[in-house]
Amino acid sequence: FAPNTTRHLIGSVQLYLSWLYKCGHLEKDPEPIIANFERPKVPDTLPRYLLPEVDVLLQKHLEESKNIVAIALNLMRRIGIRIGDLRNLQYDCLRENERGYWYIKIPLGKLNNERLFPLDEKSLVLAKKLKTLSRKHNGGRIPEKLVIHPRGKPPGDTDYYYVLYEISEKIR
């Protein structure tokens, strides 16, 4: 088995043995034995990269889509933020400095700090488009989050992954 599979199986057996003991099906507590059982190390691998030609196709599909989730993914791709950061963007995340440059404010996240990302003209247009669509999807009221699905709620992880899955199928 692969290291991840082995780790999962060992954890399942440990959990099952603990449950059997709690239910009274085992006389001795298995914890001293199973707590010290060594699990295989999982290799630390880098994420797979996109080939440049695939990235161009991905951007093309994101730009052509009218789906708010695809528009949000396009913004994410253009400015280089994580999907968790994208999901946490507040409606009022756009900032303009005294010199007329626009930024997007990323709230506290994985790095436990707030960050400002500079926006080029295309990214600014995408962010403003998201604001307009989200407000429309929220019944004309200002929503809390930047991205609001037509169902009236922020999209979940599955919504983002589904759009990426659809696009990857088209690219194939």
Side-chain angles (χ1 to χ4, degrees):
F1 293 120
N4 270 338
T5 306
T6 305
R7 288 177 65 84
H8 179 71
L9 289 172
I10 291 169
S12 297
V13 170
Q14 288 174 330
L15 189 63
Y16 180 64
L17 289 173
S18 296
W19 177 80
L20 285 174
Y21 176 71
K22 287 177 186 172
C23 292
H25 298 295
L26 291 178
E27 293 178 15
K28 289 188 175 182
D29 184 7
E31 184 63 29
I33 297 169
I34 62 176
N36 296 326
F37 200 84
E38 196 171 311
R39 296 181 186 200
K41 290 192 184 284
V42 177
D44 193 15
T45 58
L46 293 172
R48 289 179 287 165
Y49 62 90
L50 289 178
L51 296 172
E53 54 271 16
V54 174
D55 188 40
V56 168
L57 289 171
L58 171 67
Q59 290 180 63
K60 178 180 173 259
H61 284 285
L62 289 173
E63 287 170 5
E64 291 173 353
S65 179
K66 304 220 182 307
N67 182 332
I68 191 165
V69 175
I71 296 167
L73 286 168
N74 193 12
L75 177 66
M76 179 185 92
R77 164 66 186 79
R78 290 189 60 78
I79 62 177
I81 60 175
R82 300 177 188 91
I83 200 158
D85 294 331
L86 175 64
R87 289 190 61 212
N88 290 329
L89 283 176
Q90 300 298 311
Y91 184 81
D92 63 347
C93 62
L94 294 179
R95 303 284 190 272
E96 184 180 17
N97 69 8
E98 63 280 350
R99 298 169 85 191
Y101 294 112
W102 285 88
Y103 296 87
I104 196 162
K105 179 183 171 195
I106 308 296
L108 288 174
K110 181 178 178 179
L111 300 176
N112 204 25
N113 62 354
E114 293 182 340
R115 296 164 287 153
L116 291 175
F117 280 78
L119 297 176
D120 63 359
E121 199 59 43
K122 274 187 168 180
S123 300
L124 180 60
V125 168
L126 288 171
K128 287 182 177 181
K129 187 174 186 177
L130 285 171
K131 287 182 79 161
T132 302
L133 287 172
S134 292
R135 191 167 185 167
K136 178 182 163 194
H137 296 161
N138 201 40
R141 297 179 315 277
I142 294 176
E144 183 181 329
K145 300 289 184 182
L146 177 64
V147 184
I148 301 294
H149 203 273
R151 297 184 303 253
K153 295 186 177 188
D157 285 341
T158 53
D159 294 309
Y160 290 104
Y161 296 133
Y162 184 73
V163 168
L164 288 173
Y165 174 79
E166 282 182 325
I167 291 172
S168 68
E169 287 300 310
K170 288 177 186 176
I171 291 174
R172 275 193 198 122

